[in-house]
């Protein structure tokens, strides 16, 4: 069975809502400029953007409302899952994991297999680059961190 890293404390989330939009997964400098022209300058602005409105205002064929929803899901995962890197958030969304709760309930072996298949696609190879593909223990660590982050959030809300 896959083994998650034993961590006394969770790493910080790799992304915050206050971060410039260019730091969000899948957002490069060119796309950031297009978003900034709409007043979307931070990750929080991206998360608040209505996808259909963004598609209409950006008016570039490859930026659809669905693409914007994917960017939002990637950014939200990177803002809520401790230690999750941009490329990992991109892989998760491509595999249908759009929320931390879905990640927390995932099966590590199945998710690792899905991420590996996606990594072979053109999109996956662009996103992943030369980085080593995650193994089952890596994916188990993402899942464990998601569970712990949800638990910590619930405890904070109950206090």
């Amino acid at each position: 069975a896959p083994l998650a890293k034993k961590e006394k404390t969770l790493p910080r989330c790799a992304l915050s809502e206050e971060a410039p939009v260019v730091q969000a997964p899948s957002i490069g400098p060119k796309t950031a400029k297009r978003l900034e022209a709409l007043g979307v300058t931070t990750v929080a602005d991206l998360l608040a953007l209505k996808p259909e409105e963004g598609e209409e205002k950006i008016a570039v064929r490859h930026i659809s409302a669905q693409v914007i929803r994917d960017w939002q899901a990637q950014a939200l995962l990177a803002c809520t899952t401790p230690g999750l890197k941009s490329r990992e958030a991109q892989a998760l969304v491509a595999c249908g994991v759009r929320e931390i709760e879905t990640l927390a309930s995932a099966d590590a072996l199945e998710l690792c297999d899905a991420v590996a298949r996606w990594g072979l696609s053109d999109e996956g190879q662009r996103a992943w680059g030369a980085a080593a593909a995650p193994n089952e223990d890596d994916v188990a660590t993402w899942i464990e961190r998601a569970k712990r982050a949800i638990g910590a959030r619930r405890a904070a809300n109950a206090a």
Side-chain angles (χ1 to χ4, degrees):
L3 293 174
K5 282 184 193 170
K6 300 278 186 215
E7 299 172 310
K8 288 184 180 179
T9 59
L10 286 172
R12 291 193 359 225
C13 290
L15 190 65
S16 75
E17 290 191 17
E18 296 79 33
V21 72
V22 73
Q23 291 181 13
S26 298
I27 307 294
K30 193 172 175 182
T31 300
K33 288 208 181 314
R34 289 185 169 126
L35 289 166
E36 289 164 1
L38 305 180
V40 176
T41 60
T42 66
V43 171
D45 295 335
L46 175 63
L47 295 173
L49 180 65
K50 291 184 174 87
E52 289 74 15
E53 195 175 295
E55 174 184 18
E56 187 179 308
K57 289 183 177 178
I58 292 173
V60 175
R61 193 174 70 234
H62 68 278
I63 301 178
S64 65
Q66 184 56 53
V67 166
I68 294 170
R69 282 191 282 278
D70 288 349
W71 293 342
Q72 290 170 325
Q74 293 166 9
L76 194 57
L77 279 170
C79 284
T80 58
T81 308
L84 195 71
K85 296 178 177 76
S86 286
R87 66 177 173 265
E88 296 164 351
Q90 288 174 275
L92 289 171
V93 170
C95 294
V97 176
R98 303 180 71 80
E99 298 168 340
I100 191 172
E101 293 80 9
T102 308
L103 177 57
S105 65
D107 176 271
L109 293 174
E110 289 176 15
L111 186 54
C112 187
D113 186 52
V115 168
R117 282 194 314 271
W118 173 78
L120 296 173
S121 71
D122 289 344
E123 178 191 8
Q125 291 192 359
R126 271 193 312 276
W128 215 259
N135 62 35
E136 289 136 356
D137 294 342
D138 296 329
V139 175
T141 299
W142 303 346
I143 293 168
E144 183 59 29
R145 287 174 177 172
K147 288 177 183 175
R148 288 181 60 194
I150 290 168
R153 186 174 61 206
R154 285 187 183 139
N157 288 342

